[in-house]
Amino acid sequence: MQNLIEIKGVTHAYRTKNGPLPVLDRLDLCVPKGEFCAVVGPSGCGKSTLTRLIAGLMKPDQGEVWLHGEQITSPRKTVGMAFQNPVLLEWRSILENVILPLEIVAPKMPRAEREARAHHLLAMVGLDGFEHKRPSELSGGMRQRASLCRAIVHKPDVLIMDEPFGALDNFTREDLWQTMRELRAAEPFTCVLITHDLRESVFLGDQVVVLSGRPAKAQFVLNVDLPADRTIDVLYEPKASEMLHILRDQIRIAQGREAH
Ligand code: ADP
């Protein structure tokens, strides 16, 4: 399968007042087109740094980041991003928030077409009827659904998500995982997800990459061999339990502790 994202030998250190802080060390990572790559690792190991590099928001000291066969050295319109905080604009309705990337990326697209695209996505995530509300009138889970629509409205090649479900309660989070899988089934996009939640990584991922402690390398890659049309119940099956067990051990190793 063709790789959409290729990270080759990326090494990076931040310059701090106490000297260089090495964060990534010759990190290699490939994500085939259409795949969902979940990245887990100890806190502070460099996961968000990795997303900034893929998004072209910063350049590595050494190594290369390739997207769609092009080396990334600056931000791209073909990358969508979603964060823990949905950062929706309060002075715009939910519909207008979702349309925003199209105004920037496709200014010539007729308004009716932009609205139709936004309505379609909002209906898919269960927000039909809420298009004209302001963000503050919605629950946290609904705001995150709207922010996911905004992140993919312009059909980016890759969606980068940095702990997008981290601030939600368990039930809302699991609902959103299911929504995420439905969205991907309808609009296959390549995805990189940073998460602390191993269940989330297994439920959403096609592959789970465990980063080592700082400076991070790709320590372990798990291929998630579960049915594509999985529901949350799959996490209670022995195969998923075994994967979670392996990942938990890998995280302990990454943290410099003994595996069980
Ligand atoms: P993670 O997402 O895995 O928690 P980050 O990529 O956010 O890790 O950060 C890795 C390390 O780099 C952390 O110790 C963090 O404090 C540090 N760091 C992140 N951004 C900067 C920066 N702009 N300048 C200096 N240090 C930074």
Side-chain angles (χ1 to χ4, degrees):
M1 215 184 311
Q2 182 200 351
N3 284 323
L4 188 88
I5 303 170
E6 282 190 69
I7 296 172
K8 301 179 192 171
V10 160
T11 293
H12 193 75
Y14 288 111
R15 279 105 196 116
T16 73
K17 60 179 185 334
N18 300 321
L21 177 73
V23 176
L24 301 176
D25 178 24
R26 289 163 291 163
L27 186 128
D28 293 317
L29 183 72
C30 288
V31 185
K33 188 169 161 53
E35 272 217 354
F36 195 114
C37 172
V39 179
V40 298
S43 208
C45 75
K47 300 182 291 300
S48 297
T49 303
L50 181 63
T51 63
R52 288 196 283 273
L53 288 166
I54 300 171
L57 298 173
M58 54 186 270
K59 283 192 231 166
D61 292 339
Q62 285 169 39
E64 295 169 0
V65 180
W66 291 74
L67 189 61
H68 240 328
E70 266 186 74
Q71 194 171 351
I72 295 296
T73 50
S74 58
R76 294 293 155 114
K77 288 176 182 169
T78 52
V79 174
M81 298 195 80
F83 304 97
Q84 186 166 344
N85 178 355
V87 278
L88 297 168
L89 305 176
E90 185 55 28
W91 60 91
R92 295 180 77 127
S93 68
I94 291 301
L95 185 77
E96 288 166 334
N97 266 285
V98 173
I99 282 173
L100 188 60
L102 290 175
E103 291 175 2
I104 299 164
V105 172
K108 292 197 178 128
M109 185 188 279
R111 181 157 182 94
E113 205 179 308
R114 285 185 207 154
E115 287 194 3
R117 168 85 182 134
H119 275 294
H120 169 72
L121 287 176
L122 286 166
M124 278 194 59
V125 303
L127 284 181
D128 34 351
F130 294 89
E131 295 90 341
H132 302 294
K133 301 273 185 203
R134 301 281 153 177
S136 60
E137 295 177 275
L138 268 57
S139 69
M142 291 161 98
R143 282 200 291 271
Q144 196 53 282
R145 284 169 193 273
S147 124
L148 284 178
C149 294
R150 184 183 54 187
I152 61 168
V153 72
H154 57 306
K155 302 191 175 172
D157 288 334
V158 53
L159 174 63
I160 299 174
M161 300 195 288
D162 197 345
E163 296 197 52
F165 314 118
L168 305 173
D169 66 80
N170 245 342
F171 299 116
T172 310
R173 194 179 308 162
E174 290 186 1
D175 273 354
L176 265 145
W177 295 350
Q178 197 70 58
T179 302
M180 193 67 216
R181 288 206 70 92
E182 286 159 14
L183 272 179
R184 275 194 67 233
E187 310 215 347
F189 44 81
T190 309
C191 198
V192 176
L193 166 78
I194 304 297
T195 180
H196 279 117
D197 187 330
L198 297 183
R199 292 171 76 247
E200 180 171 300
S201 73
V202 167
F203 184 68
L204 290 178
D206 298 310
Q207 59 165 324
V208 182
V209 176
V210 180
L211 297 188
S212 67
R214 204 178 57 230
K217 284 177 186 291
Q219 170 182 299
F220 180 80
V221 180
L222 176 86
N223 286 314
V224 183
D225 172 21
L226 293 173
D229 60 348
R230 63 193 83 146
T231 63
I232 225 65
D233 292 343
V234 84
L235 291 174
Y236 300 96
E237 290 176 11
K239 205 166 182 182
S241 298
E242 196 184 318
M243 290 180 189
L244 289 168
H245 201 80
I246 292 169
L247 288 174
R248 222 166 293 142
D249 276 352
Q250 286 294 330
I251 292 289
R252 291 179 71 83
I253 293 166
Q255 289 170 328
R257 296 191 278 159
E258 287 295 303
H260 279 133

